[in-house]
Amino acid sequence: MTTQSTKTYKGYEIHPLIYPRRTANGVAHRNSIDSGYDASVRICRVGANAAADGRVFRLSYFRPFEGAGKARMACMEHAAQVIDGRVDGQTVSDL
C-alpha cells in the first residue's frame, strides 16, 4: 500500500490510501496492468493523529482503477464529498 501526500479541505486532512488490487487467491500483482488499484481514504481533523483519530472510507468501484494517479484523484473527490455531507451513510461530523 502506498500513501500519498496529505491534502487539506475545510479543516480536514485527506490521506489517500492506494494499493494493488488483490486477485481471488489474495495475491497482489503490482506489475500487472489488468489487476489495477483499489483505494481508500483516511480523513481526520487538521493536526489530529490520523491513525488514532481519523476514519477510513473505502472507495467502492466495480473495476479497479487503471493507475495510482486515477485512484488518488478519486480519493480526493470522494473525501470532499464525504466532508461536504453528500455521501449517504458516510460522515466526518463526529471527528
Side-chain angles (χ1 to χ4, degrees):
M1 176 174 51
T2 61
T3 58
Q4 306 301 323
S5 61
T6 301
K7 305 287 183 189
T8 59
Y9 180 74
K10 294 185 176 181
Y12 292 92
E13 291 181 359
I14 300 170
H15 302 265
L17 306 170
I18 313 301
Y19 38 94
R21 172 154 278 190
R22 295 191 181 276
T23 61
N25 65 1
V27 177
H29 294 282
R30 291 184 185 271
N31 297 325
S32 173
I33 294 172
D34 294 331
S35 62
Y37 294 88
D38 285 326
S40 297
V41 62
R42 182 185 310 270
I43 303 173
C44 66
R45 289 276 182 189
V46 171
N49 178 338
D53 301 323
R55 184 167 298 134
V56 175
F57 301 92
R58 183 172 171 85
L59 281 68
S60 298
Y61 288 89
F62 293 109
R63 291 197 220 177
F65 293 99
E66 293 175 8
K70 289 184 179 184
R72 186 171 33 261
M73 288 188 299
C75 283
M76 295 304 187
E77 177 60 30
H78 186 76
Q81 289 180 4
V82 169
I83 292 166
D84 289 341
R86 294 186 284 148
V87 180
D88 288 338
Q90 297 184 356
T91 184
V92 294
S93 63
D94 58 339
L95 291 180

